[in-house]
Amino acid sequence: MIGQRGASQRGLLNDFTWGLGQQMFYWGRDVMTDGNLLMAAGFEKRVSTGLQGTSCYRLKWCGGFVELHGACAGWYPPGGGGEAPGFLFVRTDRRCYAHELEEAVVPGKYEYGVLRSGGAALAEVMAGARFFARWLTGYEGWVRRRMGVGYREECQRMFAKLETSREWLEPRAGWEWMRAFGEGEVGLGRAGR
């Protein structure tokens, strides 16, 4: 996965986006496991505004918060900025965005005028994505310690059976790639699928 020549920023972001699609399924399994792993990890369950049929979870982190919903996932920095720009992954768009929002988006009702992606915003989106990846790999490490390595492997097998699934990497390789992406490792190659 880590080659002599690094992949393009756009290619790495595409791979990260692909990985988040699989991760969304994992989070869905987590809420049904061991009394709700997201809540055990410190998330607060909240009323879902906008799209219904899925729950919303929020975790205070680095002065701002991470919010997970079945339709989107994001990082919202504290007012006045944080360690990284705001970040949002919209599942149906299969796209990552940068933003300056202090309040979470309403799932399904995205104000695209305030979301930035690609072109001139690529560096900003990458900074937010890498910051979110650092939170994500920390969370996945916690899940592995609590549930054992077999838990995510079982989640992967369930995901692979879905007719509409688009498999990414197996859990251990996915965690390693996400960790390297989050740290901005020089020479990181594309995630093989």
Side-chain angles (χ1 to χ4, degrees):
M1 280 187 294
I2 299 175
Q4 291 179 325
R5 294 181 57 219
S8 73
Q9 297 287 301
R10 172 58 61 198
L12 294 175
L13 186 60
N14 286 341
D15 288 349
F16 179 66
T17 301
W18 190 281
L20 285 177
Q22 181 170 288
Q23 186 67 43
M24 298 281 279
F25 177 83
Y26 290 174
W27 291 324
R29 297 303 309 165
D30 292 353
V31 301
M32 298 184 281
T33 303
D34 199 29
N36 191 328
L37 289 176
L38 289 178
M39 291 181 71
F43 278 85
E44 169 194 359
K45 187 174 181 178
R46 302 170 56 87
V47 174
S48 179
T49 58
L51 297 174
Q52 299 302 307
T54 184
S55 298
C56 181
Y57 292 88
R58 183 178 286 187
L59 175 74
K60 292 180 182 175
W61 185 63
C62 291
F65 61 92
V66 169
E67 188 162 286
L68 307 177
H69 186 278
C72 56
W75 150 250
Y76 297 86
E83 293 182 49
F87 170 80
L88 180 68
F89 168 70
V90 177
R91 187 180 206 168
T92 56
D93 294 352
R94 289 192 175 119
R95 183 174 286 262
C96 297
Y97 299 93
H99 65 78
E100 295 173 6
L101 301 169
E102 292 180 31
E103 289 299 319
V105 298
V106 175
K109 298 180 181 179
Y110 309 108
E111 295 180 41
Y112 289 103
V114 299
L115 300 175
R116 297 177 299 284
S117 182
L122 182 59
E124 192 178 14
V125 176
M126 284 294 287
R130 285 192 163 120
F131 192 70
F132 191 80
R134 289 195 293 277
W135 166 78
L136 176 57
T137 54
Y139 171 77
E140 284 297 309
W142 176 85
V143 168
R144 187 173 43 227
R145 288 187 301 277
R146 182 174 177 120
M147 302 299 293
V149 294
Y151 170 68
R152 275 294 182 245
E153 290 168 356
E154 179 59 25
C155 290
Q156 177 72 16
R157 284 189 290 277
M158 286 187 264
F159 182 70
K161 290 178 184 177
L162 296 176
E163 190 174 306
T164 59
S165 72
R166 297 180 68 188
E167 279 188 89
W168 190 56
L169 298 173
E170 59 86 16
R172 185 175 299 276
W175 181 88
E176 184 58 39
W177 190 93
M178 287 277 188
R179 184 205 55 75
F181 174 79
E183 296 302 319
E185 286 189 10
V186 175
L188 177 64
R190 298 288 308 267
R193 296 192 275 281

